[in-house]
Amino acid sequence: MTMKTDTTAPATSRVQKTEAPGRTSPRRDRTKQAPGRRGAASYTVVAAVTVFVLAFLAPFLIILVNSFKTSADYRANGSLSWPEQWNWSILGDVWERVDFTQKLVNSIQISLGVVVIAVVLALFNAYAIGIGRIRWRTAFLVFFLGVNVLPQEGLVYPVYYLFKELGLYDGKLGYTILVGITYSAFGTYLLSSVFSTFPRELIEAASLDGAGRWTILWRIVLPMSWPTLSVMCVFFFVWSWNEFLYPLVLLISNDQQTVPLGLSVMQGQYTSDPTAMSAAALLGVIPMIVFFLVFQRSLTRGLTAGAVK
């Protein structure tokens, strides 16, 4: 007769590790101290960002305050004082003096045209260079890079005489084509680097299924590249809106001028009205603020595209 012995040790006989009273684990110390460190670092970052934002917004706040002052109030109290009496009619006066409605329509038409021309040309060029891998690819990229680094001051006189000969001088169409082609060089250089890393497996699979080059471009490449294209559209619109030298030389008629040119008439050689100039600057910056508020989601998605795999 065999007897079974219970080899399980009683619960009271198990050895349990205990820590001496008054002593804590270094790991626990680090765990307790980590939130404090992260909190201090977060407060420092928030304080630095706040100072940066306030410094960035200070000029806009000064323009906003001075836009509703009277000239006598500005001369008596300076530019940093709060208005003693709000002058709400100054924006309407500046609007009529500048003919802001016509300038606004011209700027919108030109900027939209520049965006369409620049993005379409950049898309076709980058598709041929980045995905098609044409011959002399590096030479083409160097050429487009050279167009980006050339200063406008060195091109303005040749462009002026060329527009005179072609009959495009003082016309929005010729100016839009010029700026659109110029911006397409930067777009081509940017998109070519993006398309060079495009998944070749998708293109090969589409080719095996019978898709042609146009089908691959419109059905595969374009939808996957839309975040980058949306950022380009925003940048090109803002850049063309703020152009000053080319419109100053090529658009001399009052009914052809853009918003920056229209606002420049507020400053004369011997006369200056700071409050009217502030109101004009406010009218010029409001469309850009509205534009960014409308397209901020597209801009954010485009800038963060590819950050998370």
Side-chain angles (χ1 to χ4, degrees):
M1 182 176 183
T2 60
M3 298 180 62
K4 295 182 180 180
T5 59
D6 188 5
T7 59
T8 304
T12 56
S13 63
R14 295 178 181 176
V15 179
Q16 298 180 353
K17 295 182 180 180
T18 59
E19 296 180 354
R23 297 181 59 185
T24 56
S25 174
R27 182 177 300 176
R28 293 181 181 177
D29 291 341
R30 289 194 297 268
T31 305
K32 292 181 179 180
Q33 295 174 2
R37 294 177 181 176
R38 289 196 296 268
S42 300
Y43 291 143
T44 303
V45 172
V46 170
V49 172
T50 302
V51 172
F52 176 78
V53 171
L54 292 177
F56 180 78
L57 294 178
F60 297 98
L61 296 177
I62 294 175
I63 290 175
L64 180 62
V65 171
N66 292 321
S67 298
F68 299 97
K69 286 182 180 180
T70 61
S71 299
D73 186 7
Y74 183 89
R75 289 191 297 266
N77 301 317
S79 60
L80 300 180
S81 63
W82 196 256
E84 294 182 354
Q85 183 179 1
W86 292 88
N87 185 13
W88 300 105
S89 62
I90 189 171
L91 291 179
D93 296 340
V94 172
W95 189 289
E96 294 179 359
R97 190 190 310 179
V98 177
D99 192 11
F100 195 78
T101 302
Q102 183 64 45
K103 305 297 189 297
L104 186 63
V105 172
N106 293 339
S107 291
I108 293 176
Q109 292 176 348
I110 291 174
S111 298
L112 291 178
V114 167
V115 168
V116 173
I117 294 174
V119 172
V120 171
L121 290 179
L123 179 63
F124 289 160
N125 294 336
Y127 181 67
I129 295 174
I131 294 180
R133 302 297 177 88
I134 61 175
R135 297 181 60 183
W136 310 103
R137 174 176 177 271
T138 304
F140 280 111
L141 290 178
V142 171
F143 169 76
F144 287 117
L145 180 61
V147 173
N148 293 322
V149 300
L150 285 177
Q152 290 185 344
E153 293 78 5
L155 299 175
V156 64
Y157 287 107
V159 169
Y160 169 78
Y161 288 111
L162 178 63
F163 273 47
K164 280 285 190 179
E165 293 294 331
L166 297 179
L168 299 175
Y169 185 69
D170 197 20
K172 291 183 291 186
L173 178 60
Y175 170 74
T176 303
I177 295 175
L178 169 67
V179 179
I181 293 176
T182 304
Y183 288 173
S184 67
F186 173 79
T188 300
Y189 185 79
L190 176 63
L191 281 179
S192 297
S193 61
V194 175
F195 287 171
S196 62
T197 60
F198 197 86
R200 306 294 299 182
E201 296 81 5
L202 296 178
I203 300 176
E204 294 174 358
S207 300
L208 292 177
D209 291 339
R213 295 179 178 178
W214 286 99
T215 304
I216 294 175
L217 174 62
W218 296 116
R219 297 293 182 86
I220 299 177
V221 177
L222 182 61
M224 295 185 65
S225 305
W226 181 244
T228 305
L229 294 176
S230 63
V231 175
M232 288 175 50
C233 291
V234 174
F235 284 169
F236 290 163
F237 189 91
V238 175
W239 292 349
S240 60
W241 184 280
N242 295 326
E243 281 281 354
F244 185 79
L245 181 59
Y246 279 153
L248 180 64
V249 177
L250 301 177
L251 302 176
I252 59 173
S253 299
N254 187 49
D255 57 346
Q256 301 289 333
Q257 292 179 349
T258 58
V259 170
L261 287 181
L263 300 182
S264 65
V265 302
M266 303 302 299
Q267 175 66 41
Q269 184 176 1
Y270 302 106
T271 59
S272 176
D273 188 355
T275 56
M277 291 177 59
S278 299
L282 182 62
L283 289 177
V285 77
I286 285 177
M288 286 293 94
I289 295 177
V290 175
F291 180 80
F292 273 106
L293 291 178
V294 173
F295 293 98
Q296 62 175 344
R297 183 170 298 180
S298 299
L299 182 62
T300 304
R301 289 178 179 176
L303 292 176
T304 58
V308 180
K309 296 290 184 178

